[in-house]
Amino acid sequence: MRDTRSMKRLVAVFLVFCLIPVFAPGVAAAEPTTLVVAAYDSSEEAKAQASYICDGTSDHVEIQQALDALPAGGTVLLTEGTYACAGNIQPGEGKALQGAGENATVLSYPGNGGLRIRAPSVTFADFKVTGKADMIIENSHARVRNVTMTVDNSRIGAFYVWAANKVVEDTVFENCKAVDCGRYGFLNSGEGTPRLVKDIKYINCEAINCGRDSSVRTGPWVTGFDIVEKNDIDGAEIIGCYAEGNQESGFHLEGFSYLNIKNVRFQDCVSVNNAQKGKDACMFGAGFTVPKGTTLENCTSVNNKHGYLVSGGSVSKGFGNTFVNCTDEASDYGFTIRHGYDCTLTNCESKDAARQGLVLSKAWNIKTENFGLIGTAGYNVHAGSSETAAVKIAGTTASDDQFAYNMWNGQVTDSALDIHAEGVLCDTIVYLENAERVTLTGDATTASADPVRVAGGTAVDTAGFTVAGDAGAPAVVAAA
């Protein structure tokens, strides 16, 4: 029995030694999957664990050395501290650069440089970038999470997806912030063929105070999130994101006719206090500027020039947009569709608009269902006119907005508008000019004697719009 046990022990020892790798001199062990880099001001404990220790000068060199030494699938971990960088950091395929937290690890760029994703399946996470830097993504399957950018106006965008003669797909930004940036916070653009950004996601991201100090040529158009600039897009989800205090719009898509825009969806996004260069100085200045192919659900706009603006830009048309349960509060204009068609607003609300809650111009096949109009101040129906209205269905080329050029103004046709108004501060709630085949339904509570005015046009049906109030006047008075 004793001999049997001894033999078993010998066999076990033999197997253990056989399974332990034996590394002869000059034969390297397998690379670790994590390499640690410490900053010059990291703790002594962090430095003791680090494979690379930076000295506070050109720290991007040590970081890049660690990334180059890393096998695919591995991570370079930056400990807490400040890394003074003077060049680009560019991981290879399948590699990750991770900090100790967006407020703990800082990549500081006193000179030009930045982060580059030019290989597939690269991850950046848990750090902050400051100074003369940007993050450029030129390849697919990128993951960026918990990264804050506070950069100057020397680069066009903080988080910049660039599709030049290629498809850049499956990019995810999660819990990322562009704060106090000189230029665009989040920017997509491209050139050549193809120039497609496909299946991109923004989840709980923020763009705050972007573009305030822009002095370069494209500076006046800076937005928080520029989802489409000169790129095509097919598949974008913007979920739970926040834009505040940006120079032009909070969320923006360019609408040039040569751009293909498909399957863009905003959900639970908030856009507040944009148009910081001055509302009357902004062409867009919107909480959300969307030209085509876009759905917005449960979104909120507060105190912008336009809450929601459908505009194709130049001579292009805006079309195929759907708004569901979206609200605007205290913007100059709540919802504006100019030179557009095939748009639907369902259960949307404009509250306390400083000028008008709903503006349609040169538009057709527009449908509003249960549109709430509350506390609207009213504004001139045309430049120089003394007549004001809370809802403007315009039909001439005259405009009160210097940026609403003639190509964006004209009659509204073939539309069904369901509006429910209360607390409107001007006498005319809905003003229809030269409309054709437009049906107005809904109701209003007002003391006005002429809450709905029809000026010209044909086949305008207002019989389904009822009025309750002290005046007891007819719902419609035709304008002279």
Side-chain angles (χ1 to χ4, degrees), residues 55-265:
D55 60 5
T57 302
S58 296
D59 292 340
H60 67 284
V61 173
E62 287 85 358
I63 296 172
Q64 189 63 52
Q65 287 174 346
L67 287 166
D68 291 344
L70 193 72
T75 298
V76 167
L77 181 62
L78 304 177
T79 64
E80 85 289 344
T82 298
Y83 298 80
C85 300
N88 292 339
I89 297 172
Q90 184 172 312
E93 180 175 357
K95 299 182 181 182
L97 180 66
Q98 182 174 350
E102 58 181 307
N103 294 316
T105 300
V106 178
L107 303 180
S108 173
Y109 279 85
N112 291 330
L115 299 152
R116 304 289 179 262
I117 295 181
R118 291 178 171 138
S121 304
V122 168
T123 297
F124 288 135
D126 303 318
F127 54 78
K128 179 184 289 185
V129 180
T130 64
K132 297 180 181 295
D134 55 5
M135 180 188 296
I136 299 179
I137 299 173
E138 300 181 61
N139 216 314
S140 298
H141 313 300
R143 298 291 183 268
V144 185
R145 65 176 185 272
N146 303 324
V147 174
T148 295
M149 302 283 284
T150 299
V151 294
D152 68 5
N153 67 356
S154 60
R155 303 299 180 92
I156 191 169
F159 298 93
Y160 189 7
V161 178
W162 176 244
N165 299 300
K166 65 171 61 176
V167 177
V168 178
E169 64 181 316
D170 183 32
T171 303
V172 179
F173 295 97
E174 186 171 4
N175 298 322
C176 292
K177 301 175 185 176
V179 181
D180 297 329
C181 294
R183 301 283 290 280
Y184 294 86
F186 296 82
L187 171 66
N188 299 330
S189 195
E191 65 181 7
T193 303
R195 52 170 180 255
L196 177 61
V197 175
K198 184 176 182 181
D199 296 332
I200 189 169
K201 291 183 180 180
Y202 302 86
I203 302 171
N204 298 330
C205 294
E206 299 180 6
I208 299 174
N209 297 338
C210 294
R212 294 288 190 90
D213 62 350
S214 293
S215 59
V216 292
R217 181 176 61 84
T218 56
W221 312 111
V222 168
T223 64
F225 292 80
D226 192 353
I227 307 300
V228 172
E229 183 57 30
K230 295 183 179 179
N231 57 290
D232 299 324
I233 198 160
D234 185 358
E237 292 187 81
I238 306 96
I239 300 172
C241 293
Y242 183 82
E244 180 181 0
N246 300 293
Q247 189 186 37
E248 260 277 354
S249 296
F251 298 89
H252 183 90
L253 288 80
E254 280 292 338
F256 297 116
S257 58
Y258 63 84
L259 296 176
N260 294 312
I261 299 174
K262 301 178 182 178
N263 304 314
V264 177
R265 183 170 72 95

Side-chain angles (χ1 to χ4, degrees), residues 271-392:
S271 193
V272 178
N273 296 336
N274 298 290
Q276 283 296 317
K277 70 180 180 184
K279 292 179 180 178
D280 285 334
C282 286
M283 177 179 289
F284 306 105
F288 302 81
T289 301
V290 293
K292 51 191 174 183
T294 303
T295 298
L296 297 93
E297 301 174 6
N298 303 317
C299 292
T300 302
S301 163
V302 179
N303 190 31
N304 301 290
K305 177 178 181 178
H306 298 275
Y308 303 84
L309 173 63
V310 175
S311 177
S314 187
V315 296
S316 304
K317 303 178 183 68
F319 59 88
N321 299 293
T322 300
F323 303 83
V324 180
N325 297 329
C326 292
T327 62
D328 176 76
E329 184 173 350
S331 295
D332 278 5
Y333 306 93
F335 294 75
T336 300
I337 300 175
R338 58 190 189 197
H339 201 185
Y341 63 96
D342 291 352
C343 296
T344 301
L345 290 71
T346 303
N347 298 328
C348 295
E349 181 179 271
S350 170
K351 184 177 181 181
D352 297 331
R355 294 184 178 179
Q356 289 157 338
L358 178 64
V359 178
L360 305 180
S361 182
K362 202 174 185 178
W364 58 102
N365 198 23
I366 308 300
K367 185 175 184 180
T368 71
E369 299 176 343
N370 193 34
F371 184 87
L373 186 75
I374 301 172
T376 308
Y379 198 64
N380 297 344
V381 295
H382 296 306
S385 171
S386 61
E387 187 168 18
T388 62
V391 172
K392 181 171 67 175

